[in-house]
């Protein structure tokens, strides 16, 4: 990659900057009088903006494109020659070249004006019109329109053209002007930050879709997706913000800090008192000051990110971390419960019905393999075998097992396995939990650490449901998903519904124990997890995630691409965008169950609509 700094006195030519186009290379350079060129060598399109004063926001619209040119405030003839030479270079390479010059219209305008050879590019300009009309605006009391004008004047009427029509025709290139209504700023020129972010994201996608139609039909380019016309390189500042977000999140372990440290004693007390007495939950001291972390969080310059996909992901993640930090301050209070509803997006009626169907269809097996139980130490040895399986795929893989008295649930945190010291399970449950904890959570954490963005390891916002959906699916695919296990997931949902309806600890316990026939141990575990922190809805996402994942597979989705890191199903399009731009990599390691003889059979059954209650 050529990345060049120039002084105001230097006038580098296209030939000097780009002696030869190289596939996969880019030229990034400052130009005289505040100009700038960012050119992907394999993209036969260019967004152009002429630098102006009192034009807040417009130049940021083009910076999300794969290739763009900012024309400096002086030396017009130099830039005219520069654009002509660049057009020659790109047209010779690809057979054609499209340039879109972006400029803002007058204050008060609500109309995009597309200026170009509409008679020669009817499909591309119709796509552009249709996509621009999709920009969400009505909720902001803005009604956007689009007009397409067939004209030889592609720039602002008062300015000189950067390209002559005769030159364009000779080179087989196309020059389109696009006047953008400046609805993203007020009459004083101040940007509306939230609306601008939405506007920019949808605007650049509209350009990419339209330009791709031109590239696909008119050029010899091998680009296969409009996403490839988006920004492929990430500015160093974005990587810095990404790492800072991860550092803030890694400075506390949310699940560990909301889990009570005295759960074993509470269980013993509750059973010894014949389900009557339960002392208060006790929690670990906070190792951080949430208010100081929030200050660091909002000092991050996320609002200045012009890559729409990454901007969205970072804003979303910041809001989630903010919510978690608030909940750490609220532990043990009713506010924690209200925040939990917001964090996990409540509980819908369809999920409750699915849970009740499972509990009705599957009876509790009170004697499930009681004679074949293993303890924490044996499970740890099984986990080590799975770690070795990953090391054979990638020698850099590392993870540890922690057996602790102050942990009440088995979990993976930052890729490492935490086990309660008194934990026992059946051999079948162990087989399932190995794939759940190691084959999913530890695996996706490691694959996430191999991605350019560290957030893919710590987890994008709302990643939990998909993670737990994959984890439970892995139990099914490994042959370890039992009726009792599926009942537990369903029991967590009905317990969550009871919590939302105001049930106390004893009411919830007896609903599970008496109405749904859970053993006292399972009823206590479900209830105690639901009440940690003050009321914690996280456990509903196991079944929720499984249902959503099954529906995703039914609709034609694939499992393996979901293993590249920690993200949510609603991120799929953004992940595909980043993957097409080379910013997301394939999974480095994959789970053992993919090689099982019955893997394809089981996946195909799911894609055909296998009911959840039939997955055991």
């Amino acid at each position: 990659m050529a990345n060049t700094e120039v002084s105001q006195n230097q006038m580098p030519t296209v030939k000097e900057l780009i002696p030869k186009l190289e596939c996969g290379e880019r030229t990034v350079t400052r130009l005289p009088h505040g100009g700038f060129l960012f050119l992907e060598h394999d993209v036969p399109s260019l967004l152009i903006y002429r630098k102006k004063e009192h034009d807040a926001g417009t130049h940021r619209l083009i910076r999300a494109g794969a290739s763009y040119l900012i024309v400096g405030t002086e030396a017009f003839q130099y830039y005219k020659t520069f654009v002509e030479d660049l057009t020659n270079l790109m047209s010779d390479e690809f057979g054609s070249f499209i340039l879109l010059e972006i400029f803002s219209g007058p204050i008060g305008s609500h109309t995009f004006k597309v200026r170009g050879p509409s008679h020669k590019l009817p499909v591309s300009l119709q796509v552009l019109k249709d996509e621009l009309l999709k920009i969400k605006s009505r909720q902001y009391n803005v009604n956007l329109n689009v007009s397409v004008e067939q004209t030889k004047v592609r720039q602002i009427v008062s300015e000189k053209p950067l390209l002559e029509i005769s030159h364009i025709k000779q080179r087989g290139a196309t020059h389109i002007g696009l006047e953008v209504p400046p609805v993203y700023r007020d009459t004083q020129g101040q940007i509306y930050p939230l609306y601008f972010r939405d506007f920019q994201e949808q605007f650049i996608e509209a350009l990419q879709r339209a330009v791709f139609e031109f590239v696909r039909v008119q050029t010899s380019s091998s680009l296969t997706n409009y996403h490839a016309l988006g920004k492929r390189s990430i500015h160093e500042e974005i990587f810095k913000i990404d790492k800072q977000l991860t550092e803030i999140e890694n400075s506390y372990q949310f699940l560990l800090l909301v889990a009570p440290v005295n759960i074993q004693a509470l269980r013993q007390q509750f059973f010894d008192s014949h389900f009557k007495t339960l002392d208060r939950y006790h929690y670990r001291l906070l190792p951080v000051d949430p208010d100081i972390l929030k200050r660091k969080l909002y000092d991050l310059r996320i609002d200045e990110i012009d890559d729409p996909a990454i901007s969205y992901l970072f804003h979303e993640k910041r809001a989630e971390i903010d919510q978690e930090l608030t909940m750490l301050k609220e532990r043990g209070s009713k506010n924690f419960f209200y925040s939990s509803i917001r964090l996990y997006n409540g509980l819908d009626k369809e999920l409750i019905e699915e849970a009740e169907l499972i509990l009705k269809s599957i009876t509790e097996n009170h004697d499930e393999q009681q004679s074949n139980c293993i303890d924490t130490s044996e499970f740890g040895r099984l986990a080590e075998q799975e770690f070795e399986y990953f090391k054979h795929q990638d020698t850099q893989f590392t993870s540890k097992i922690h057996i602790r008295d102050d942990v009440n649930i088995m979990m993976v945190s930052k890729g490492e396995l935490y086990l309660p010291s008194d934990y026992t399970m059946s051999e079948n449950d162990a087989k399932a939990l190995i794939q759940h904890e190691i084959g999913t959570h530890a695996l996706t954490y490691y694959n996430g650490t191999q991605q350019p963005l560290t957030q893919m390891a710590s987890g994008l916002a709302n990643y939990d449901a998909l993670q737990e959906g994959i984890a439970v699916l892995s139990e099914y695919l490994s042959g370890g998903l039992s009726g009792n296990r599926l009942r537990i997931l369903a029991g967590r949902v009905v317990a969550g519904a009871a919590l939302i309806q105001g049930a106390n600890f004893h009411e919830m316990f007896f609903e599970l124990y008496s109405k749904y026939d859970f053993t006292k141990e399972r009823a206590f575990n479900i209830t105690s997890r639901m009440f940690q922190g003050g009321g914690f809805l996280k456990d509903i996402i196991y079944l929720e995630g499984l249902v959503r994942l099954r529906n995703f597979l039914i609709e034609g989705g694939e499992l393996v691409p979901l293993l590249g890191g920690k993200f949510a199903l609603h991120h799929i399009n953004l992940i595909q965008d980043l993957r097409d731009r080379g910013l997301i990599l394939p999974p480095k390691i994959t789970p053992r169950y993919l090689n099982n003889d019955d893997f394809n059979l089981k996946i195909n059954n799911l894609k055909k609509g296998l009911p959840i209650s039939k997955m055991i």
Side-chain angles (χ1 to χ4, degrees):
M1 178 184 77
N3 193 336
T4 314
E5 299 261 351
V6 299
S7 70
Q8 294 291 316
N9 297 323
Q10 289 178 308
M11 295 288 192
T13 66
V14 168
K15 188 173 183 179
E16 290 170 342
L17 291 172
I18 317 171
K20 183 181 178 182
L21 291 170
E22 299 281 355
C23 185
E25 293 295 319
R26 63 177 62 97
T27 296
V28 183
T29 180
R30 296 186 184 279
L31 296 172
H33 307 289
F36 194 86
L37 174 68
F38 195 112
L39 182 75
E40 295 285 356
H41 288 194
D42 61 348
V43 174
S45 70
L46 185 73
L47 303 181
I48 301 175
Y49 170 76
R50 304 193 197 195
K51 195 170 186 178
K52 293 179 178 62
E53 294 183 354
H54 312 300
D55 192 21
T58 310
H59 73 286
R60 290 180 60 186
L61 293 176
I62 71 167
R63 280 165 38 187
S67 296
Y68 64 88
L69 170 68
I70 295 177
V71 175
T73 54
E74 298 180 28
F76 174 78
Q77 190 55 48
Y78 163 75
Y79 278 100
K80 181 177 175 65
T81 302
F82 191 93
V83 171
E84 290 175 349
D85 291 346
L86 187 58
T87 300
N88 293 342
L89 178 67
M90 300 299 284
S91 292
D92 287 344
E93 179 72 17
F94 296 102
S96 190
F97 185 51
I98 186 170
L99 305 95
L100 286 86
E101 185 169 349
I102 311 297
F103 46 90
S104 63
I107 292 294
S109 170
H110 287 182
T111 301
F112 290 98
K113 294 182 179 179
V114 182
R115 301 173 179 175
S118 57
H119 61 301
K120 294 183 178 180
L121 295 172
V123 177
S124 294
L125 296 190
Q126 186 62 45
V127 169
L128 180 57
K129 179 179 179 179
D130 293 344
E131 293 298 326
L132 289 173
L133 285 172
K134 291 179 183 178
I135 293 179
K136 296 176 183 176
S137 54
R138 292 186 182 277
Q139 67 265 45
Y140 297 99
N141 198 30
V142 176
N143 294 311
L144 296 174
N145 298 304
V146 181
S147 68
V148 179
E149 304 174 8
Q150 184 174 319
T151 174
K152 294 183 179 180
V153 179
R154 311 291 161 78
Q155 73 287 344
I156 297 175
V157 176
S158 61
E159 295 184 343
K160 298 177 181 179
L162 282 167
L163 277 170
E164 303 295 339
I165 298 298
S166 59
H167 181 86
I168 297 172
K169 289 182 177 180
Q170 290 173 3
R171 305 311 305 175
T174 296
H175 182 201
I176 296 172
L178 178 56
E179 180 182 299
V180 181
V183 292
Y184 42 80
R185 60 182 183 236
D186 62 21
T187 54
Q188 283 73 47
Q190 295 296 312
I191 289 178
Y192 302 113
L194 296 181
Y195 179 61
F196 178 80
R197 190 163 70 240
D198 288 345
F199 184 95
Q200 181 194 42
E201 177 182 353
Q202 296 167 87
F203 175 78
I204 200 66
E205 181 172 345
L207 294 190
Q208 289 168 5
R209 287 181 179 272
V211 169
F212 182 70
E213 281 302 311
F214 175 90
V215 169
R216 183 179 63 84
V217 176
Q218 306 292 344
T219 76
S220 62
S221 169
S222 60
L223 299 180
T224 58
N225 192 289
Y226 77 89
H227 290 308
L229 296 169
K231 183 70 68 185
R232 300 184 196 174
S233 73
I234 299 180
H235 191 278
E236 204 170 296
E237 187 65 23
I238 292 179
F239 284 118
K240 181 179 177 182
I241 294 172
D242 169 56
K243 290 178 180 177
Q244 289 171 324
L245 271 173
T246 300
E247 286 172 1
I248 291 172
E249 187 175 29
N250 285 348
S251 65
Y252 65 94
Q253 294 191 56
F254 182 65
L255 295 182
L256 202 62
L257 291 172
V258 302
V261 295
N262 61 331
I263 195 66
Q264 285 88 351
L266 292 178
R267 182 189 295 111
Q268 190 64 46
Q269 177 195 52
F270 189 71
F271 291 161
D272 288 347
S273 66
H274 303 289
F275 314 145
K276 294 179 181 178
T277 305
L278 188 78
D279 283 344
R280 291 174 58 88
Y281 283 23
H282 295 158
Y283 302 99
R284 295 166 179 81
L285 295 176
L286 292 182
V288 296
D289 184 331
D291 290 335
I292 292 177
L293 287 184
K294 283 192 178 190
R295 190 181 309 151
K296 292 180 179 179
L297 195 61
Y298 285 96
D299 280 343
L300 300 180
R301 298 164 62 186
I302 295 175
D303 295 331
E304 298 177 17
I305 297 175
D306 285 322
D307 185 306
I310 294 176
S311 175
Y312 173 83
L313 294 174
F314 283 14
H315 274 95
E316 192 183 39
K317 187 61 182 181
R318 179 165 64 182
E320 181 180 73
I321 294 175
D322 183 0
Q323 188 66 41
E324 288 183 351
L325 291 172
T326 296
M327 291 174 71
L328 290 181
K329 294 175 62 178
E330 296 172 340
R331 289 183 308 176
S333 73
K334 198 68 176 177
N335 284 340
F336 181 96
F337 167 58
Y338 298 137
S339 294
S340 173
I341 294 176
R342 180 180 175 188
L343 185 63
Y344 296 106
N345 301 311
L347 186 56
D348 61 51
K349 180 181 178 182
E350 290 76 13
L351 186 62
I352 297 173
E353 291 174 349
E354 182 78 56
E356 290 175 341
L357 177 62
I358 290 170
L359 293 173
K360 181 179 179 181
S361 304
I362 303 173
T363 57
E364 181 85 354
N365 181 358
H366 291 267
D367 301 316
E368 185 182 49
Q369 297 184 10
Q370 291 298 314
S371 60
N372 294 317
C373 280
I374 65 173
D375 61 15
T376 295
S377 297
E378 179 60 27
F379 186 84
R381 285 190 286 273
L382 294 174
E384 287 287 359
Q385 292 176 14
E386 210 63 22
F387 291 161
E388 287 300 317
Y389 180 76
F390 294 156
K391 288 176 185 177
H392 285 304
Q393 298 179 57
D394 187 347
T395 56
Q396 300 302 310
F397 176 85
T398 58
S399 189
K400 294 180 181 178
I401 298 169
H402 305 268
I403 298 176
R404 295 172 57 158
D405 294 329
D406 61 349
V407 172
N408 68 317
I409 58 173
M410 182 187 301
M411 64 180 176
V412 169
S413 181
K414 305 297 182 289
E416 301 198 339
L417 179 65
Y418 289 79
L419 298 170
S421 58
D422 62 347
Y423 204 86
T424 61
M425 71 208 81
S426 69
E427 291 180 352
N428 188 68
D429 285 345
K431 179 169 64 173
L433 289 171
I434 284 293
Q435 293 308 319
H436 183 114
E437 301 294 349
I438 308 301
T440 302
H441 298 324
L443 178 142
T444 52
Y445 176 82
Y446 181 76
N447 283 336
T449 64
Q450 307 305 299
Q451 302 289 357
L453 294 172
T454 63
Q455 285 297 301
M456 290 291 287
S458 59
L460 300 180
N462 307 123
Y463 76 90
D464 306 81
L466 177 56
Q467 271 289 293
E468 300 303 349
I470 296 171
V472 177
L473 179 65
S474 75
E475 298 180 36
Y476 161 70
L477 294 172
S478 64
L481 185 59
S482 67
N484 281 356
R485 171 64 171 160
L486 202 51
R487 280 177 51 83
I488 288 172
L489 304 187
R492 291 171 177 177
V493 171
V494 298
L499 184 67
I500 291 173
Q501 292 167 5
N504 61 33
F505 191 102
H506 289 80
E507 290 168 340
M508 185 184 297
F509 172 82
F510 280 109
E511 180 178 11
L512 295 169
Y513 181 57
S514 301
K515 179 179 179 180
Y516 292 110
D517 195 35
F518 283 96
T519 65
K520 66 176 184 178
E521 290 80 11
R522 292 191 182 110
F524 180 87
N525 288 341
I526 294 171
T527 304
S528 63
R529 286 168 61 110
M530 197 59 62
F531 275 91
Q532 61 187 355
F536 197 36
L537 282 180
K538 179 183 182 295
D539 278 357
I540 68 171
I541 66 174
Y542 291 80
L543 184 59
E544 178 185 38
L546 180 61
V547 171
R548 289 182 182 177
L549 178 56
R550 182 199 57 175
N551 295 341
F552 171 76
L553 294 172
I554 289 173
E555 293 167 2
E558 296 297 328
L559 175 61
V560 173
L562 305 180
L563 304 176
K566 297 180 183 291
F567 51 89
L569 274 179
H570 74 262
H571 294 139
I572 290 295
N573 290 337
L574 292 175
I575 294 297
Q576 185 59 52
D577 175 6
L578 297 175
R579 186 178 290 120
D580 290 340
R581 293 193 266 151
L583 301 177
I584 295 292
L585 307 175
K588 194 85 171 183
I589 58 177
T590 55
R592 188 188 298 271
Y593 59 76
L594 294 182
N595 297 317
N596 288 354
D597 293 338
D598 59 355
F599 171 77
N600 289 326
L601 175 64
K602 288 185 173 181
I603 281 290
N604 288 335
N605 286 340
L606 274 179
K607 290 184 175 182
K608 292 175 182 177
L610 180 72
I612 299 293
S613 58
K614 301 296 184 182
M615 292 176 61
I616 57 175

